[in-house]
Amino acid sequence: MHGPALSAWLLLTLCGASGAYCLLRARRCTGEERRTAAGEAVMGFGMAAMALPAAVVTPPSWWWAVYAAVFGAAALHALVSVRRGGHHLHHLVGSLAMVYMAWPVQGAAHGTHGSGGGGGSVPLVTAALLMYYVAYVLRSGARLVPVTASVAASMAAPVTASMALPAGGTAPAWAVRPEFTLVCRLSMALAMLAMLVTL
C-alpha cells in the first residue's frame, strides 16, 4: 500500500491494535467465537504489515506471494466454514481483498501496474470491494448507535453466548463486551477502505 507516511503509520497502529485485541479475545473465548477472533487477528496483523511505510522496510519483490499464500489459505478456510454461518463470509471477502491488494504492490515493484487502470478509472473489483466495505462500515456503525435496552440485549445475545470461557477462567470486562468486538471489526473495515482507495 502506498501513501503518505503519516497515514501509513496510523493504519499500521489501528490494524496492529485491532489484531492484538482479536488475539486476546481468541485466548478468552471458545468454539466458533475463538475461531472467528483468530481469523480477525490474522487479518489485523496482515493489514498492519501491508500498511508498513516503504521508508521503514522495502519488502522484497516476492513478498506479494507470501500475502497470496497466507490469505489464500485464509480464504479457503473461510469458504469451508461459511456453511456454519457467523462471520465467515465476511472473512472470505476480506481474505480475497488482501490477495487482490497484494497484486498492485507486486506490480509496482516490477513497474508493470499503474494505480487504478488507465485514464483514472476504478477497476471493477476495486469498485465492488469499496461498495462492500462502505455498506459494512455503515451497517456496523449503525449497530453501535445506542438503542433501547431490549433491542440491545437481543443484539448482544448471539455474541456473548459464544464467548464462553475456558474452564476455570474469569472474564475481564473487555472479553464480554460485544461492542468492543464490533468496534474492532469496524476499525478494520475502515482501514480496508483506506487501503482500497489507494489502489
Side-chain angles (χ1 to χ4, degrees):
M1 196 198 93
H2 305 288
L6 179 60
S7 299
W9 282 114
L10 289 172
L11 283 174
L12 185 146
T13 303
L14 178 68
C15 295
S18 295
Y21 170 74
C22 292
L23 192 61
L24 289 171
R25 201 174 92 235
R27 294 186 62 197
R28 296 290 182 177
C29 301
T30 59
E32 194 63 34
E33 183 64 23
R34 182 181 195 139
R35 287 186 286 275
T36 298
E40 289 170 346
V42 170
M43 181 66 69
F45 290 133
M47 290 171 69
M50 191 176 275
L52 190 66
V56 175
V57 174
T58 302
S61 60
W62 49 264
W63 192 240
W64 68 270
V66 173
Y67 277 102
V70 170
F71 288 101
L76 286 175
H77 182 266
L79 184 61
V80 170
S81 303
V82 161
R83 68 179 186 272
R84 291 197 302 257
H87 210 61
H88 297 292
L89 185 59
H90 178 68
H91 286 178
L92 175 62
V93 173
S95 296
L96 292 174
M98 290 294 285
V99 172
Y100 174 70
M101 285 192 300
W103 288 108
V105 173
Q106 180 265 344
H110 291 90
T112 57
H113 289 159
S115 58
S121 62
V122 177
L124 185 61
V125 175
T126 302
L129 287 170
L130 283 168
M131 286 189 294
Y132 172 82
Y133 278 101
V134 165
Y136 185 86
V137 164
L138 291 174
R139 179 178 170 265
S140 297
R143 291 180 66 193
L144 283 171
V145 174
V147 292
T148 63
S150 61
V151 176
S154 67
M155 280 176 44
V159 178
T160 53
S162 59
M163 288 188 166
L165 294 172
T170 57
W174 55 263
V176 294
R177 299 296 299 261
E179 63 271 21
F180 285 7
T181 301
L182 195 55
V183 166
C184 177
R185 291 173 180 167
L186 178 61
S187 299
M188 286 197 287
L190 285 167
M192 187 71 81
L193 266 175
M195 290 178 170
L196 285 166
V197 164
T198 64
L199 292 182

